[in-house]
Amino acid sequence: MTSLLNFVYTYISDIARSASLFNTLSTFHTSKSSSKLSHNFTNNNEIHTSAARTSTLLSTSTGFQLNPINITSYRLASTNSTWNESSLPDKIKSLDEYKALYDLSINDPERFWKMAAERLDWYRFPTKIKNTEFDYRTDRGVDIKWYEDGILNVCYNCLDRHIDHDSSASKQVAVVFEPDTPTETRHHVTYGELLRDVKKFANVLKKHGVKKGDRVTVYMPMVVDACVALLACARIGAIHSVVFGGFSASNVAERISDCDSTVVITSDFGLRGGKCSPLKSKIDQALKMKQCSNVRTVLVFERNYGNNADVKDACSDQRGTLEWKEGRDFWAHKEMETVNENCPPEKMNAEDPLFILYTSGSTGKPKGIVHTTGGYLTYTSLTFKYIFDYNPGDVYMCTADIGWITGHSYIIYGPLSNRATTVVFEGVPTYPDVSRFWNVVDKHQVNIFYTAPTAIRSLMAHDDKYVTKTSRQSLRILGSVGEPINSEAWKWYHSVVGDSRCPIIDTWWQTETGGVMITPIANAWELEPSSATLPFFGIKTQLFDKSTKKPLTPPNTGELCIQDSWPGQARSLYRNHERFVDVYFKQYPGYYFTGDGCEIKKNGYHCITGRVDDVLVISGHNIGTAEVEAALNEHAGVSESAVVGYPDKKKNQGMYCFVVLKDDTKESEELRKDLIKSVRNTIGAHVNPDVIHFTPDLPKTRSGKIMRRILRKIVEPDTSNLGDISTLTDPSIVKELIKKSPRTKHS
Ligand code: 6R9
């Protein structure tokens, strides 16, 4: 802790020296947690800051942006300032500074991304920065290389180098572990301790024959050992493939065999919301399947309660039943006792793969997204630092699971490469009650909090008192990722959770993009509810018309593409470059196709409208389901909704709305009519929901995304083949929906 404080003080005095701001230091010390930045909503939902900002030192020194943004077209009007420095700034303080650097990043990407790479430590600094081709019609075809002759190690950059540069880093907390049961004794892990465990575990992997380039499947709960597993792979150059702990045995088997892993890292159990999840048994089941016959080693971390005799062990019934295959299964902690602590990091080429992460595709066969070493780390490291305005000493918490890209990029690699303190949260937002997030924020004095709209919507369905009874004074920045955040949820997050004082950083990106692409930069410019605002450095967006395939000039709405490569992007699909090109580069030759719709407004702000395949065509009108959902969610009684189409001879498609009501709202015919009316009022009289189906819940994937594929099948109706529903949080909801659907009854 002392070192943390030292860090903060050193930092403050550095800033103070450069900005001659000694007189504001006391304000900073005392007001960091109590300062107010008040936002007023105007009629058009724009937010203007009305009070002088005191919550961060730099804003105090520069003054906050009080004027509306002066961008008249999508191409940001150039500024008078150009970037003449030889390195990147520590933070982005204003829209002008952003514009100067943005111009540079687009006009001279080599120079910009060279400066970004200088933030990392390299064994050999690259002489070639960018070498990329997006056009599949060229002889070269789609081919993406960044820093191709550079040599570095990701684990070294996340751990060793902080200690090598400043020995006090070894005592700084790297990971704060918040267990599922709040009363379980938590342990904080310092950079020194994490490095020691990673080195040992890396030696365990080596002992079991894992070499550079080998694939290792990781199937772990949200515990510190998961970070150890990933960083150990990175240290020795093994390619990790994390499979989310909620996936079924057959899903894991499919992913183990697709990338041909011979080693699996797991845990005996996992805990979520007080329930025990038998991870090791699921691996046992998976490995009995023929396609996994190549797996020769399973390394098992132990999840126990240590000295917490007072905590009920939710796994106690199952502990005695663990299967153990001698010669294949090994306890990680025992193996770690047999190896030494010395494990030099492997020297990796910048384009060597770092990991594979499977994401769902439209065909049902998962896509093994491949990310590489140098570009990925440069990008996640820079985005983390700028977007969240991370200051030394800040405590940062992201509620994602390491099974998803957000967990990879913004729990582990982005934060640790910046010497941040990152919270690993094992639990769920609603256990033991719906105050959990905010209690954790208070307990660990979290300054930056990053979560998903689905969590926000589920929490706002309950009484505000579950939030307001907590302090949350430590919070400075709130982030959102994963889906469009409707303006009601945005406003609730901003005003109730953030006490109208924390900017909402709505970050748009994808597994394929590696890191955040369109986003506000904390405190640099004004926000609008439901807008991810502006592209990050090096990201040039382009809209296209879906039917004519012609480029559109903003302000406009269309299909979102990216014009040129950025270092964090996926290089390919594992052993399937052809599918990579087909899915992302064939629709609009020369562009990366995101699959998302987007509106770019007059001021250049981007609003993601949802997946483009989520568009209904009703009586000749294109209607984004996300738009209808937003309208339904605006209604005071609605917690959440999902809209899908079904075939209709007259109108082409009919509109079917699944609606989850808030705790205190009862379904009624009157409410049904009211909802239809408000959709018509909000979007237009051409938008008429045909069916309103009230339901207590929606079928969701473990990462919180609504599984529309299943909803579509229910309303078509074609319920004979629903496909795999084992990845849902609660598969039983599907039966309920089928039973109650007027379309299944009458079919
Ligand atoms: C990081 C992540 C990617 C898809 C993406 C889009 C949706 C993510 C969003 C958002 C609107 C945001 N999405 N962030 N939509 N606003 N801020 O979620 O990756 O799981 O691959 O999902 O999620 O549709 O295309 P991934």
Side-chain angles (χ1 to χ4, degrees):
M1 236 11 192
T2 334
S3 69
L4 262 180
L5 285 176
N6 282 344
F7 210 129
V8 175
Y9 283 98
T10 318
Y11 169 74
I12 290 168
S13 47
D14 279 344
I15 300 276
R17 266 195 302 280
S18 60
S20 308
L21 270 171
F22 282 105
N23 54 347
T24 61
L25 280 182
S26 54
T27 327
F28 178 67
H29 279 300
T30 53
S31 69
K32 190 175 178 208
S33 56
S34 61
S35 57
K36 282 268 180 286
L37 163 66
S38 60
H39 289 146
N40 293 334
F41 291 101
T42 57
N43 289 343
N44 60 2
N45 281 347
E46 282 193 15
I47 287 184
H48 297 278
T49 47
S50 65
R53 209 189 128 69
T54 51
S55 69
T56 69
L57 189 61
L58 281 166
S59 316
T60 321
S61 65
T62 57
F64 196 71
Q65 294 290 310
L66 292 171
N67 304 324
I69 287 171
N70 184 19
I71 313 173
T72 44
S73 74
Y74 145 72
R75 286 286 141 70
L76 298 170
S78 28
T79 63
N80 295 331
S81 51
T82 46
W83 193 259
N84 293 321
E85 311 289 324
S86 59
S87 62
L88 291 180
D90 193 44
K91 49 178 74 196
I92 306 302
K93 298 181 287 260
S94 66
L95 187 66
D96 270 354
E97 192 166 289
Y98 161 80
K99 284 199 244 169
L101 266 168
Y102 182 78
D103 282 352
L104 172 73
S105 73
I106 298 298
N107 300 331
D108 191 354
E110 304 259 344
R111 199 175 134 218
F112 181 89
W113 290 113
K114 177 171 179 282
M115 291 193 290
E118 280 162 0
R119 299 181 67 255
L120 301 181
D121 283 16
W122 301 74
Y123 299 111
R124 184 166 85 209
F125 193 79
T127 60
K128 293 185 190 161
I129 303 298
K130 178 176 188 282
N131 180 9
T132 63
E133 176 59 79
F134 266 15
D135 195 337
Y136 73 92
R137 300 163 305 184
T138 57
D139 289 347
R140 183 174 166 194
V142 174
D143 185 24
I144 301 148
K145 291 195 183 86
W146 284 88
Y147 311 118
E148 61 187 290
D149 61 347
I151 294 178
L152 77 165
N153 181 282
V154 165
C155 178
Y156 177 82
N157 274 282
C158 289
L159 302 176
D160 313 54
R161 70 156 171 163
H162 306 311
I163 301 170
D164 289 355
H165 292 189
D166 168 8
S167 60
S168 76
S170 77
K171 299 223 165 56
Q172 184 193 318
V173 174
V175 181
V176 172
F177 178 56
E178 173 62 22
D180 186 57
T181 312
T183 47
E184 183 184 342
T185 308
R186 61 180 199 264
H187 52 276
H188 291 178
V189 181
T190 63
Y191 272 93
E193 290 162 343
L194 189 57
L195 177 58
R196 182 200 58 207
D197 289 352
V198 165
K199 282 181 182 168
K200 280 200 190 171
F201 192 66
N203 278 335
V204 171
L205 290 172
K206 279 188 181 170
K207 181 181 161 185
H208 287 275
V210 180
K211 290 191 221 45
K212 181 173 174 171
D214 288 352
R215 277 80 52 215
V216 173
T217 296
V218 179
Y219 187 62
M220 290 284 290
M222 277 300 291
V223 291
V224 182
D225 293 330
C227 309
V228 171
L230 266 55
L231 291 161
C233 288
R235 191 165 193 86
I236 64 169
I239 304 166
H240 57 73
S241 162
V242 183
V243 178
F244 174 63
F247 275 130
S248 65
S250 58
N251 280 304
V252 189
E254 186 181 18
R255 287 158 175 77
I256 288 175
S257 92
D258 187 81
C259 70
D260 214 1
S261 289
T262 51
V263 173
V264 174
I265 304 170
T266 188
S267 177
D268 50 357
F269 301 107
L271 289 164
R272 266 173 85 83
K275 292 197 194 100
C276 182
S277 154
L279 295 170
K280 166 70 167 63
S281 329
K282 282 204 239 160
I283 291 293
D284 291 333
Q285 279 176 43
L287 297 192
K288 283 181 189 135
M289 298 175 191
K290 238 196 2 248
Q291 74 249 54
C292 294
S293 54
N294 286 344
V295 174
R296 50 165 206 268
T297 307
V298 180
L299 295 164
V300 187
F301 281 97
E302 190 181 25
R303 175 69 180 96
N304 63 25
Y305 283 107
N307 300 325
N308 286 262
D310 55 329
V311 176
K312 187 180 162 288
D313 180 359
C315 302
S316 60
D317 300 352
Q318 303 180 47
R319 285 196 189 274
T321 62
L322 211 62
E323 254 181 59
W324 207 257
K325 196 164 168 190
E326 286 305 323
R328 186 197 71 182
D329 301 347
F330 298 87
W331 285 111
H333 63 279
K334 290 204 177 140
E335 288 297 286
M336 282 162 84
E337 285 165 14
T338 68
V339 294
N340 71 35
E341 280 186 26
N342 183 20
C343 179
E346 192 72 36
K347 295 196 163 103
M348 304 299 289
N349 182 275
E351 279 301 339
D352 283 335
L354 175 65
F355 65 84
I356 300 167
L357 186 57
Y358 287 91
T359 175
S360 46
S362 49
T363 63
K365 188 175 156 39
K367 298 176 282 189
I369 307 285
V370 178
H371 281 286
T372 57
T373 301
Y376 173 80
L377 194 65
T378 303
Y379 195 76
T380 50
S381 187
L382 187 72
T383 45
F384 174 79
K385 170 74 185 147
Y386 280 170
I387 292 166
F388 296 115
D389 184 25
Y390 187 84
N391 296 320
D394 279 344
V395 177
Y396 163 85
M397 171 167 173
C398 167
T399 68
D401 189 281
I402 50 138
W404 313 117
I405 189 69
T406 310
H408 285 58
S409 302
Y410 298 111
I411 292 180
I412 300 185
Y413 294 118
L416 295 181
S417 62
N418 280 290
R419 194 181 159 175
T421 296
T422 177
V423 177
V424 166
F425 176 46
E426 189 184 26
V428 296
T430 47
Y431 177 81
D433 63 34
V434 292
S435 293
R436 183 67 193 273
F437 273 176
W438 325 121
N439 284 332
V440 176
V441 164
D442 286 349
K443 182 166 161 190
H444 301 298
Q445 290 295 291
V446 171
N447 307 107
I448 304 161
F449 181 82
Y450 192 27
T451 194
T454 178
I456 298 165
R457 283 196 297 267
S458 79
L459 295 177
M460 68 187 267
H462 302 273
D463 200 305
D464 285 358
K465 73 168 191 256
Y466 290 104
V467 185
T468 53
K469 71 179 183 187
T470 63
S471 157
R472 289 156 290 108
Q473 278 301 304
S474 58
L475 286 175
R476 195 164 59 79
I477 283 151
L478 296 171
S480 169
V481 59
E483 296 165 76
I485 173 164
N486 52 302
S487 69
E488 206 201 354
W490 194 102
K491 286 176 193 166
W492 184 82
Y493 197 28
H494 180 259
S495 60
V496 181
V497 175
D499 285 334
S500 304
R501 111 188 110 72
C502 308
I504 306 291
I505 309 299
D506 177 6
T507 62
W508 175 85
W509 59 296
Q510 308 175 301
T511 306
E512 295 85 340
T513 69
V516 173
M517 301 282 282
I518 304 177
T519 178
I521 287 183
N523 304 320
W525 54 80
E526 292 173 33
L527 307 173
E528 280 177 22
S530 307
S531 173
T533 74
L534 300 170
F536 191 72
F537 300 120
I539 308 304
K540 202 168 175 187
T541 55
Q542 175 67 54
L543 298 183
F544 284 92
D545 182 280
K546 189 178 181 172
S547 26
T548 65
K549 302 277 171 201
K550 294 238 166 73
L552 297 168
T553 311
N556 225 322
T557 302
E559 300 203 328
L560 177 66
C561 288
I562 312 293
Q563 253 187 58
D564 199 356
S565 181
W566 63 100
Q569 87 172 119
R571 303 300 192 249
S572 196
L573 297 183
Y574 190 67
R575 290 186 182 155
N576 200 346
H577 195 62
E578 203 182 318
R579 187 173 175 206
F580 182 66
V581 176
D582 282 352
V583 177
Y584 305 105
F585 294 93
K586 284 261 168 92
Q587 285 83 351
Y588 297 101
Y591 292 84
Y592 168 80
F593 173 56
T594 67
D596 280 343
C598 178
E599 178 191 2
I600 300 179
K601 296 187 173 174
K602 208 170 147 199
N603 63 1
Y605 276 18
H606 293 58
C607 296
I608 304 294
T609 50
R611 300 294 301 169
V612 285
D613 43 19
D614 289 336
V615 172
L616 305 181
V617 183
I618 299 179
S619 307
H621 297 290
N622 285 14
I623 300 164
T625 54
E627 242 185 316
V628 182
E629 285 164 20
L632 288 165
N633 297 349
E634 292 295 321
H635 192 282
V638 174
S639 159
E640 207 173 3
S641 61
V643 175
V644 287
Y646 60 86
D648 182 282
K649 284 206 185 98
K650 266 198 196 149
K651 302 192 286 186
N652 179 49
Q653 276 183 301
M655 189 189 294
Y656 193 117
C657 313
F658 293 90
V659 175
V660 181
L661 296 175
K662 285 189 182 153
D663 272 355
D664 54 2
T665 308
K666 291 225 159 42
E667 62 181 79
S668 68
E669 196 44 41
E670 207 178 65
L671 179 61
R672 197 185 304 273
K673 283 186 187 143
D674 203 16
L675 287 174
I676 295 173
K677 203 167 101 199
S678 61
V679 170
R680 285 170 59 105
N681 286 348
T682 314
I683 312 176
H686 64 292
V687 187
N688 269 306
D690 296 284
V691 182
I692 302 272
H693 178 154
F694 294 115
T695 167
D697 209 345
L698 293 167
K700 283 192 187 156
T701 64
R702 313 267 173 172
S703 68
K705 297 208 163 82
I706 298 166
M707 248 213 208
R708 285 161 207 281
R709 176 174 66 79
I710 291 179
L711 294 178
R712 273 187 219 110
K713 290 245 177 190
I714 293 173
V715 310
E716 257 172 41
D718 170 20
T719 51
S720 55
N721 175 23
L722 287 175
D724 184 10
I725 59 166
S726 63
T727 58
L728 294 176
T729 354
D730 176 16
S732 70
I733 191 72
V734 176
K735 246 193 210 150
E736 281 304 306
L737 290 172
I738 295 174
K739 216 162 80 192
K740 218 179 141 191
S741 165
R743 298 214 12 104
T744 30
K745 267 194 227 149
H746 307 307
S747 63

